[in-house]
Amino acid sequence: MATTTRFKAFCTECRNKVELGAEALRLAVGRTRERTFYSFTCPECGAAVRKPAGERIVDALTGAGVSTMRLHAGQ
């Protein structure tokens, strides 16, 4: 039986701790750490949540197959 990776996060709007599957998260990788973030829609209150993503979070999310978008084009 395959297990799906689940992530726990806090909603900045309703302050609830929520559990999300990889399909519920989106990762945006920018040129700098300050421009790299993950986002999700809170299943409790429906708020759009955006949080910074450091290297460990980026590794965990990409390893679990989270949809990733690069915010910069190669020059």
Side-chain angles (χ1 to χ4, degrees), residues 25-73:
L25 295 156
R26 293 163 302 284
L27 176 64
V29 179
R31 280 194 190 275
T32 64
R33 209 180 308 173
E34 292 77 21
R35 293 180 187 235
T36 299
F37 62 91
Y38 67 98
S39 61
F40 61 92
T41 300
C42 177
E44 297 290 321
C45 71
V49 179
R50 179 174 157 167
K51 295 189 163 213
E55 189 174 324
R56 287 177 52 199
I57 291 173
V58 170
D59 288 345
L61 295 178
T62 56
V66 169
S67 176
T68 303
M69 174 176 53
R70 300 251 174 227
L71 298 179
H72 56 86

